[in-house]
Amino acid sequence: MKKRHMICFSVLIMLLIFLMGLNISLGSVKIPVSEIFDIITGKSNNISFVNIVKEIRFPRIMASIILGGALSVSGFLLQTFFANPIAGPFVLGISSGAKLTVALAMIFFLQRGMILNSASMIAVSFIGSMISMGFILLISGRVKKSSMLVVSGIMIGYICSSVTDFIVTFADDSNIVSLHNWSMGSFSGIDNKDVKVMSIVILTAVVFTFVISKQIGAYQLGEVYAQNLGVNIKLFRLMLIILSSILSASVTAFAGPVSFVGIAVPHLIKNFFGTSKPAIVIPASFFGGASFCLLCDLIARMIFAPTELSISSVTAVLGAPVVIFIMLKNSKSKQR
Amino acid sequence: MKDSILYTDRLSVGYDKKILIEDINIKISAGKIFTLIGANGAGKSTILKSISKQLELISGTVYINTKNINLIKNREFSKSVSIMMTERINPELMTCRDIIEYGRYPYTGQFGTLSEYDKNKVDEAIRLVNAEEIAEKNFNFISDGQKQRVMLAKAICQEPDILILDEPTSFLDIYHKLELFDILKKLVYQKNIAVIMSLHEIDFAQKISDYIICINGDKIDRIGTPEEIFSGEYISRLYNIPSGIYNEYYGTPELKAVTGNPEVFVISGQGRGINTYRRLQRLNIPFSAGIIHENDIEYPVAKALASELVSEKAFEPIGEDAFKKALDMIDSCKKVICCLESFGTMNNYNRNLFEYSKEKRYLNIL
């Protein structure tokens, strides 16, 4: 690993630890930094502090980290797959597809007095992701222009969202509150059991992604050259689709659709590290996405406290300028 | 067949099960350059894509080192065949060295870490294509010619037995074309690699290739050395251009001659008239020319462009017949351009033509 990459990784990890500290400490109840160490080492006597940290803030922080990381890695995979710098799970309508099927499943089971466990939520969400992905693949096979791909993704996203809104409107009152919160995107209400499930699913997928980083790198040279280097293109494309869908589906299952993280973070990371080598970008995007979501969640919780913003409204404000910047940069490099 | 590194057996290629070219039987040997030529859309790329496993074969078989390519594993195949296609790549934040290192892909482990040996191979490839100066530059910020060299270096450090190039000179200017061919020649001699490529520039095809493979219609029309292919009228037939326009000695065509009754007579020889002929062609003025020996350097140009041409047999002094013919033409044109400044014993009659025109005040300056 080059020296620059070492330094960048150290900066990222320090940033992550710093933001974790902030997220534990700040909130409606402020917890002093000295107390945090005591709570972690189990020496604290303040039971309400211990409960706040262990039952509320810790799962929420872990969710931000894991889901943020998953979104970024998923975005990176989709950008590689479509050779399009502004592809991402939200822009391509994959998150919205997942949102639709999860909303349907939630209402269906709630009406029968059942609550879905987190593993089945992921499964349902995965099905929705794959349906949206199927449409996107169909379209991308016909139109080669990358801007058209994004436009059709956004259209698919709108269709799914309006159907979801329609369903929510006609749902029972009791369902609406939880459904509404979730469909706007939020890291609240995630407990330690959810964290365990999402960690297993997402970390497995991320590790697997890292293992195929060599193939991903070859694929960045385009299909023709990747194949000539020995990549089994059909199998590889299938793996990319499944991995990116699992990652974004898990996020949607727990936190609803979260916008722009998938585009903004990989881009920032690539420029920060000065490379697009997958073996570097995949882990770095994971940590970067984690920090990005920790920061956004902190802002969402704190800025109008006690009212919470939806996570997407914060990620959009921070992420959308990055997207505009990418498009400007691309149009400039094409004029060269 | 044992001595050919790649050969095909009744191969048919095309897209979507539709046959474009059938019954292809070619044998490629190591250390030689094979060039596919033929009209646009003839199927040069289709053949290259088929033998490099990018396109499914419609029927027949391709053998590499006597093994059927459909039975060769991807990784093994990539060690014996590397490609440089017309597809442009658009990598982000990658140096040229990064790109070239991907050539070692079939040789590295799961995480693609390069060994000392791999790094040496990369350096060697960089040296071979003269890319030392651009190696650490961002690939997106170099010129087309440099990009082409980088892609070639990538293909080289894949250490293939066969290098497949689809129109490698398309975006290059003359300097970079010559440079690329120079590298290819080096490669073939130093590494004993077989090169199979397609070219549009038949003049270069004639000069660089050991063998030419000509595609016409739905079949391989001819395979032969440049000497065999580029003689006589064959090239004109292959590309469907009117006879006499393509010059087999220069390897280039002249533009179409202006038709009609000659308005000017050009007295010339010794190559002096070439520019005048081309200029008259551009000005759309039909002309006649003479008296030129058949072994004169400008004879092919005059033959291609002049409406009427008076010529004399090689190594013979100009004779009475030719002189009279030329005189008639001068009288009917009444305008003469003389490109010659001095005359010798072999073309003494040209001096007479010049003096006759001067006397009659026919002489013109273009």
Side-chain angles (χ1 to χ4, degrees):
Chain A
M1 208 189 293
K2 280 187 198 156
K3 208 172 156 195
R4 172 173 180 179
H5 300 157
M6 295 284 247
I7 295 168
C8 291
F9 266 118
S10 319
V11 171
L12 263 189
I13 290 183
M14 283 192 303
L15 182 71
L16 185 65
I17 293 169
F18 172 71
L19 284 168
M20 281 168 82
L22 273 186
N23 275 284
I24 291 180
S25 153
L26 295 180
S28 50
V29 179
K30 284 212 167 53
I31 298 173
V33 179
S34 57
E35 193 68 29
I36 294 172
F37 286 104
D38 287 346
I39 294 169
I40 292 169
T41 50
K43 279 186 246 162
S44 172
N45 301 320
N46 190 329
I47 293 175
S48 69
F49 276 4
V50 172
N51 273 339
I52 288 173
V53 170
K54 284 202 170 162
E55 298 306 321
I56 298 171
R57 292 201 186 152
F58 176 77
R60 187 161 181 160
I61 287 168
M62 288 314 287
S64 307
I65 291 174
I66 293 167
L67 300 181
L71 275 175
S72 311
V73 173
S74 166
F76 174 67
L77 292 180
L78 291 168
Q79 285 145 29
T80 308
F81 185 88
F82 290 110
N84 184 340
I86 53 172
F90 192 79
V91 170
L92 294 180
I94 296 167
S95 299
S96 308
K99 178 170 109 170
L100 175 59
T101 49
V102 173
L104 277 175
M106 269 167 119
I107 287 172
F108 181 81
F109 285 101
L110 278 173
Q111 274 171 352
R112 281 156 187 75
M114 291 184 281
I115 291 174
L116 278 177
N117 66 18
S118 28
S120 13
M121 285 275 273
I122 295 181
V124 169
S125 174
F126 180 70
I127 293 168
S129 304
M130 289 302 274
I131 293 172
S132 282
M133 190 67 167
F135 277 113
I136 285 290
L137 286 174
L138 266 182
I139 295 166
S140 77
R142 276 160 202 235
V143 284
K144 293 285 167 217
K145 237 176 151 184
S146 60
S147 52
M148 280 309 295
L149 182 77
V150 173
V151 171
S152 15
I154 291 171
M155 294 305 133
I156 290 174
Y158 270 111
I159 294 168
C160 293
S161 291
S162 50
V163 175
T164 313
D165 287 345
F166 184 77
I167 295 165
V168 171
T169 314
F170 288 95
D172 288 343
D173 289 342
S174 58
N175 299 339
I176 288 176
V177 180
S178 67
L179 207 56
H180 188 71
N181 257 345
W182 170 86
S183 74
M184 299 294 291
S186 169
F187 290 138
S188 68
I190 292 171
D191 61 26
N192 279 316
K193 239 167 64 196
D194 294 335
V195 168
K196 210 181 266 174
V197 176
M198 72 172 80
S199 310
I200 293 169
V201 175
I202 289 173
L203 292 181
T204 312
V206 170
V207 167
F208 198 80
T209 308
F210 184 71
V211 169
I212 61 165
S213 52
K214 184 183 167 187
Q215 281 90 323
I216 297 174
Y219 197 80
Q220 285 172 333
L221 298 184
E223 240 172 73
V224 169
Y225 288 107
Q227 197 214 5
N228 180 244
L229 290 172
V231 178
N232 183 339
I233 294 292
K234 275 184 190 156
L235 183 69
F236 176 76
R237 283 175 66 100
L238 188 68
M239 283 200 294
L240 273 196
I241 291 169
I242 290 176
L243 282 172
S244 57
S245 297
I246 288 179
L247 288 171
S248 59
S250 312
V251 177
T252 310
F254 291 107
V258 181
S259 58
F260 291 107
V261 181
I263 308 174
V265 174
H267 181 74
L268 293 172
I269 288 294
K270 280 181 213 162
N271 283 291
F272 182 45
F273 281 73
T275 184
S276 60
K277 276 191 186 151
I280 305 280
V281 176
I282 291 166
S285 285
F286 187 85
F287 290 126
S291 302
F292 189 80
C293 282
L294 277 178
L295 178 68
C296 291
D297 193 38
L298 189 67
I299 295 170
R301 280 198 295 134
M302 298 299 293
I303 195 161
F304 296 121
T307 311
E308 261 192 38
L309 288 176
S310 79
I311 183 77
S312 273
S313 39
V314 183
T315 53
V317 168
L318 295 184
V322 178
V323 177
I324 294 170
F325 179 76
I326 300 171
M327 294 204 295
L328 287 179
K329 204 179 90 175
N330 277 359
S331 66
K332 214 190 261 169
S333 71
K334 264 178 202 143
Q335 281 164 12
R336 247 169 211 283
Chain B
M1 299 235 181
K2 285 263 162 60
D3 53 332
S4 12
I5 190 150
L6 178 149
Y7 62 91
T8 62
D9 181 26
R10 281 165 292 150
L11 174 67
S12 296
V13 301
Y15 291 95
D16 302 324
K17 309 222 158 128
K18 248 179 76 188
I19 294 178
L20 197 59
I21 303 162
E22 57 187 354
D23 201 27
I24 303 168
N25 295 293
I26 50 177
K27 287 176 216 160
I28 305 296
S29 36
K32 294 275 185 282
I33 295 177
F34 290 77
T35 306
L36 297 173
I37 63 169
N40 279 343
K44 301 186 286 287
S45 301
T46 316
I47 292 182
L48 295 181
K49 282 180 183 162
S50 301
I51 60 177
S52 59
K53 277 182 94 163
Q54 293 172 63
L55 257 186
E56 261 177 58
L57 311 179
I58 292 180
S59 67
T61 327
V62 179
Y63 296 93
I64 286 177
N65 293 322
T66 69
K67 264 189 236 164
N68 181 341
I69 59 163
N70 285 335
L71 305 175
I72 302 176
K73 286 207 180 92
N74 280 352
R75 181 180 272 241
E76 207 187 318
F77 187 81
S78 58
K79 286 178 186 173
S80 54
V81 176
S82 69
I83 57 167
M84 188 167 104
M85 292 288 153
T86 47
E87 277 84 0
R88 299 255 195 137
I89 68 165
N90 230 338
E92 242 185 310
L93 293 166
M94 286 221 231
T95 65
C96 298
R97 183 183 291 276
D98 289 339
I99 305 268
I100 297 169
E101 281 174 355
Y102 273 109
R104 297 308 294 169
Y105 184 100
Y107 301 92
T108 56
Q110 183 55 49
F111 289 98
T113 318
L114 298 180
S115 68
E116 246 356 91
Y117 180 80
D118 292 323
K119 282 180 186 159
N120 287 338
K121 282 285 164 195
V122 171
D123 286 333
E124 189 191 324
I126 290 174
R127 273 199 304 278
L128 205 67
V129 303
N130 313 319
E132 291 98 330
E133 276 163 37
I134 51 167
E136 313 305 329
K137 284 194 183 155
N138 183 325
F139 183 80
N140 287 344
F141 298 157
I142 60 176
S143 72
D144 283 337
Q146 292 169 327
K147 280 182 185 172
Q148 206 71 330
R149 270 189 285 157
V150 169
M151 294 313 285
L152 186 60
K154 185 215 69 97
I156 290 169
C157 78
Q158 222 170 310
E159 291 187 281
D161 304 320
I162 302 161
L163 182 58
I164 292 177
L165 312 166
D166 193 4
E167 281 162 34
T169 51
S170 319
F171 302 108
L172 306 186
D173 60 31
I174 182 83
Y175 173 83
H176 290 103
K177 275 180 190 166
L178 292 172
E179 188 181 38
L180 187 99
F181 288 128
D182 196 42
I183 296 166
L184 283 184
K185 204 88 223 178
K186 245 193 322 193
L187 203 62
V188 166
Y189 274 103
Q190 287 178 10
K191 310 231 165 206
N192 205 34
I193 290 178
V195 172
I196 311 171
M197 65 177 163
S198 61
L199 278 185
H200 271 307
E201 298 96 334
I202 47 176
D203 48 335
F204 282 117
Q206 177 178 19
K207 286 159 195 162
I208 182 94
S209 320
D210 293 299
Y211 294 96
I212 306 274
I213 299 169
C214 310
I215 306 169
N216 198 358
D218 62 351
K219 61 182 196 312
I220 301 278
D221 199 30
R222 269 179 85 173
I223 301 176
T225 60
E227 296 76 34
E228 290 163 0
I229 302 292
F230 287 89
S231 56
E233 292 283 293
Y234 181 70
I235 290 296
S236 304
R237 272 213 313 281
L238 181 65
Y239 284 94
N240 199 19
I241 46 180
S243 106
I245 279 184
Y246 176 77
N247 179 342
E248 60 173 290
Y249 302 106
Y250 301 172
T252 56
E254 291 297 331
L255 296 181
K256 270 189 186 161
V258 183
T259 50
N261 286 330
E263 293 170 19
V264 185
F265 187 89
V266 183
I267 305 172
S268 185
Q270 213 187 329
R272 297 282 170 88
I274 293 178
N275 287 332
T276 306
Y277 303 144
R278 288 185 181 154
R279 192 144 174 216
L280 288 167
Q281 194 277 343
R282 285 200 297 278
L283 294 170
N284 209 33
I285 300 170
F287 64 93
S288 48
I291 303 166
I292 296 162
H293 282 99
E294 281 167 9
N295 61 341
D296 195 301
I297 186 168
E298 69 178 63
Y299 177 76
V301 184
K303 192 153 189 259
L305 293 181
S307 317
E308 287 171 46
L309 176 65
V310 188
S311 60
E312 185 54 78
K313 286 198 194 77
F315 307 115
E316 293 288 341
I318 293 173
E320 191 91 14
D321 291 351
F323 176 66
K324 275 186 185 148
K325 222 169 127 190
L327 220 52
D328 285 348
M329 286 182 190
I330 286 176
D331 280 332
S332 72
C333 293
K334 299 199 164 46
K335 271 185 199 163
V336 174
I337 295 169
C338 182
C339 302
L340 292 172
E341 282 156 11
S342 56
F343 305 90
T345 42
M346 299 295 272
N347 68 347
N348 204 27
Y349 272 122
N350 273 351
R351 187 200 307 268
N352 296 354
L353 288 178
F354 171 69
E355 263 152 21
Y356 176 78
S357 314
K358 202 171 160 189
E359 207 171 285
K360 293 254 182 183
R361 297 177 179 273
Y362 287 161
L363 275 188
N364 262 272
I365 300 160
L366 191 69

